[in-house]
Amino acid sequence: MALGARARALIAEVEQAPARALARLGARLYRLEHSREAAAITVVEWRRIWQAYQARKAALAA
């Protein structure tokens, strides 16, 4: 499935975030997912965003 522009931008932000800012970005993603703006991003896209976040978090912990 092709991702929308907003989902691609969020994944790019996750991939480029400094290690020190990753937790703050995760909190922002959570708030965004549970806000009214989340309707523009599908459930499948959110799954991909969180997968990218978890992968980045694991890579930084290693």
Side-chain angles (χ1 to χ4, degrees):
M1 175 184 176
L3 297 176
R6 182 71 173 135
R8 285 193 314 271
L10 289 172
I11 289 173
E13 193 173 342
V14 166
E15 292 172 347
Q16 297 171 4
R20 293 181 58 175
L22 195 60
R24 186 171 47 246
L25 176 58
R28 193 175 122 241
L29 289 173
Y30 179 85
R31 286 191 307 272
L32 179 62
E33 184 179 15
H34 293 90
S35 71
R36 292 180 186 203
E37 295 176 40
I41 301 173
T42 67
V43 173
V44 173
E45 290 174 327
W46 275 115
R47 189 174 303 127
R48 297 275 300 273
I49 292 166
W50 285 116
Q51 286 172 345
Y53 177 81
Q54 291 297 331
R56 179 74 196 283
K57 188 175 168 184
L60 291 174

